[in-house]
Amino acid sequence: MEVLPEVDCEEDVTITDNEEDDEESARDLEGLRDLESSLSNIRINPTVTHMARPRAHVDLSKCPSSYKENSAQEKLMLAMAENFRQQYALLYPDHKALLLCPVNECGVQKFVSTTLRSTLLPYPELYDWEGCSSFVADYLSLELLDPPFELPKQLSSPTWVLQIQRGTCFDFSIVLCSLLLGAGYNAYCVSGYATKEMCLLDQSRQECPLLQPQIQDKTEEPKKPTQKYSVKPVRDLHSNFEKRQEQKQHAEAEAAALKKQQDVERLQKEQERPSPDPLRGLRVHCWVLVLSGNREVPENFFIDPLTGKSYSTTNENFLGIESVWNHRNYWVNKQDCTFGCDEMTFDMGDLSKWEYVLCGPTSQSLSIISDPKTLEEPEDEDEEEMEGLKVFEMPPSWVTKIDISPADMEMRYPGGMKVIQYRKAKLEKFAPYLLKDGLVTKLTMYKDLECTQASTIKEWFKHQSDHLDERELHTDSNVTTDHFRPGRSDALKYHRYITLVPETGRQMDFYSHIRTDGLARRIEKPFEMTETFEDRTDFLFYRRVVYGKQIKVIRAGEALEQRPLQRVEERFHRDLSKAASKDVAERIFMMTDRRIQVTFHLEDDKIIPAWLNFIKPKEAADSQKAQAFTPQMVSGFQVDPSVKPYKNLKLYEMLVELMREEEDVELQIRESEKEVRSILSSREKEDSNTDLLISIYNPTRNETARRHMEEKERMAEEKKQRQKEKELDLLAPSQVRLGLPEVLTHQDALQLKTDCLNEFKQQLLNKASIIQSRIEKETEELQKKQLWYQKNYLTMSNEDEDDYLAYCSDAMFRIHVFKMRLIRHKERAPQKYLALEEKLKRHPRLASHLL
């Protein structure tokens, strides 16, 4: 990973000879002041793991000052970290160096905890750990550690990593941990060791997550209540010995098949087993630890930031832990990891298993603080001891706020696409709108481990105008399956086919609740078509059509090839409004035999349904008359012998009705064939010319929405300009009388001011006189009405008296309102006058003369 050369800063210093004295003063912890003075003489010299390689194309001038220099608090933190490193190296000389103070992208040393920046981004998918981990795994590309058994020489800021979209596993973990902390999780970065496949992001021996069966919650079936009095079941007369022999043979066959399968799997695993890794246990890796407690996390778990997957803390892929840190503190592992992380505990407050850098409340994890035993009130001596001890807190993060634009969130992958190789599968991911056909995910499954022979190709689409959601192609059988989202005019939901040529094998499923005919499924074969319906008013739920070979039919003067109908079967649900013996359950139209068979529903107390069989009379030909109906053309079976048989007239009417319904059914079948051809034609056009749907709220891609926004902004600007033009200048009338001089003299300015104030004063007086005149007018009219009442009150009716009282009430109300307006006008007139005078003093043309 390329980095910038070191920048000479004030903090790049060397250790002096007073090192031993400084370590003694640090161990004494006599106070922050003594600690600062004792550590001020220690100068930090980067070890080999802290040296940075030059990174090209980095503009330091655009980086904030916190990226290029350290504050006084950060310098003290670096000195404390260096002191901790020296003590750790002295006490544990056989252990590897810790990742404490690597350089950032600007070549400046920073403590790892200050590189974390807790951030909650305004995207709902980043509110939980699954969304954060999958985003980081998709958004960034991996740079391998070189060499793989050493710590990185640079730890970049999350903002820089997100900008360049690449980094090491440590950069991945820093970004993911920052997002998880912002989302409220108790997350930590972990520096340790892992297997070769995890460090190299090698998933070629893992099953693709899209192929793994989803675990469904199995709900127990409610037990049927046992009845005290019930009919005893019929005695089983089968031989128990024979049953046991059959079960024994079945178990032996299953055991043999299972053994054979296990042998095949074991042989396959031996063939796929990777060669031994000479660096096993030495490969450095960084991942994220999430402790239980926050966000209702039930138990601790690991997250691999390279893949975004979660693992148990006892997973065999994690071979050991050196240290963990968050934005508050840094802990070093003191537990034995010879057998991996199986027996490790993550109680950060246990000093026998974890050693912290900073002493104080931050040295304990949230899981310890949540322990009810620790919530007890400390003793007085402990309180006094804590009060006397001055705790050094972690400096705030030097990283600026993490920000991801909506365009970057939509692009998602580096360059808009990402390819992941799994066992016998290849997964390709694309950003929306990147490809013209709207493809976002493509999964190719292979027959062999070398991934040379494709067996199945699955594709997922978004924003297609034809609402295509998923497509699956089996290369062996050349069978294609399309899945569609709701919204199509033909309500097509599922289409399974080999070719788009009509009258070939295919299956179509529809959204039945959208269609008027309630069609749910149509299965078509070369000489057969089956349709299934749902929720129809005529209770039809099944129709099967059998065709003959194609023949030429002349219609409307055109010769068309058409498959003749040989047999049509229809089945109906029970209609409770009819008697079962009169409710049709199935009817079969046998066109070639000129027969119609009707079967009725089975009655509750019967075991055989009633049926009728009709033979259609022959139609009139050139030399023959039409055949007349005879009772011999009808045969049937009536379940109840007491019921009178149908009369000939009724049977004839039933035959006529069935023949008419046969014609209607044939028309419906031809309409279905026409609809199939129309769907196939439209699908062929949609596949050749794919259009993507663009939301009206996306003006960057929607040309219509963009033009609408521009037009709206233009109209708003024009309205604002017209409003500004409508605003009248106070001096305009007076300037006209002065001849509109370009430059005003002092005398002209005073004259303009006097004229404006006089005109405004006159307007105020005029308004007061108008209100006063209205008061006088209303008072005069009220007096006249009162005189009229005094003269005629003896001869007035009740209605006239009520009208008079109503008029007086309204008149008094109007007079009261006018008086209130006059009083308010007299109170506000001086204020308005003074406000105008002040406004004239600030006028651009008068200010220089009046102030």
Side-chain angles (χ1 to χ4, degrees), residues 627-645:
Q627 186 179 5
F629 174 78
T630 60
Q632 289 76 20
M633 294 181 178
V634 182
S635 61
F637 173 75
Q638 190 69 30
V639 180
D640 191 356
S642 61
V643 178
K644 293 182 179 181

Side-chain angles (χ1 to χ4, degrees), residues 317-358:
N317 289 309
F318 303 96
L319 305 178
I321 295 177
E322 287 287 350
S323 59
V324 301
W325 69 89
N326 63 359
H327 61 303
R328 294 176 178 172
N329 209 339
Y330 188 99
W331 293 267
V332 178
N333 180 31
K334 298 165 66 176
Q335 303 173 68
D336 184 16
C337 296
T338 306
F339 302 101
C341 304
D342 291 348
E343 300 179 357
M344 283 194 61
T345 60
F346 298 95
D347 184 355
M348 305 302 176
D350 190 349
L351 298 182
S352 63
K353 298 179 180 180
W354 297 93
E355 184 66 35
Y356 51 81
V357 172
L358 295 181

Side-chain angles (χ1 to χ4, degrees), residues 1 8 14 30 71 150 224 299 353 394 405 543 590 651 728 742 775 785 806 814 838 840 843:
M1 185 175 181
D8 294 337
T14 57
E30 294 178 353
S71 63
E150 290 186 4
K224 295 182 179 180
E299 58 183 2
K353 298 179 180 180
M394 183 67 66
S405 64
R543 176 185 290 157
M590 291 168 278
L651 293 175
L728 299 178
E742 294 183 0
I775 294 174
K785 195 69 173 177
R814 289 194 294 272
E838 187 66 25
L840 291 173
H843 196 279

Side-chain angles (χ1 to χ4, degrees), residues 578-630:
K578 300 179 181 179
S581 58
K582 296 182 180 181
D583 186 13
V584 177
E586 181 184 32
R587 63 185 182 187
I588 302 175
F589 301 98
M590 291 168 278
M591 284 75 170
T592 55
D593 299 336
R594 300 185 59 80
R595 291 194 303 116
I596 301 175
Q597 182 176 337
V598 179
T599 304
F600 298 94
H601 278 280
L602 185 66
E603 297 183 20
D604 295 337
D605 56 345
K606 307 298 180 183
I607 60 174
I608 301 176
W611 56 269
L612 289 174
N613 194 358
F614 296 88
I615 299 177
K616 296 189 295 184
K618 293 182 180 180
E619 299 176 356
D622 296 337
S623 59
Q624 295 180 356
K625 295 181 179 180
Q627 186 179 5
F629 174 78
T630 60

Side-chain angles (χ1 to χ4, degrees), residues 635-670:
S635 61
F637 173 75
Q638 190 69 30
V639 180
D640 191 356
S642 61
V643 178
K644 293 182 179 181
Y646 293 105
K647 294 183 179 181
N648 292 340
L649 179 61
K650 180 63 175 177
L651 293 175
Y652 175 75
E653 291 176 351
M654 292 175 65
L655 177 59
V656 172
E657 181 67 19
L658 288 173
M659 292 175 64
R660 186 185 62 80
E661 290 179 353
E662 181 181 352
E663 295 177 357
D664 295 341
V665 169
E666 185 175 359
L667 290 177
Q668 295 175 14
I669 293 171
R670 298 307 179 190

Side-chain angles (χ1 to χ4, degrees), residues 304-317:
D304 181 22
L306 305 185
T307 60
K309 298 179 182 178
S310 63
Y311 298 88
S312 170
T313 54
T314 59
N315 189 274
E316 59 184 6
N317 289 309

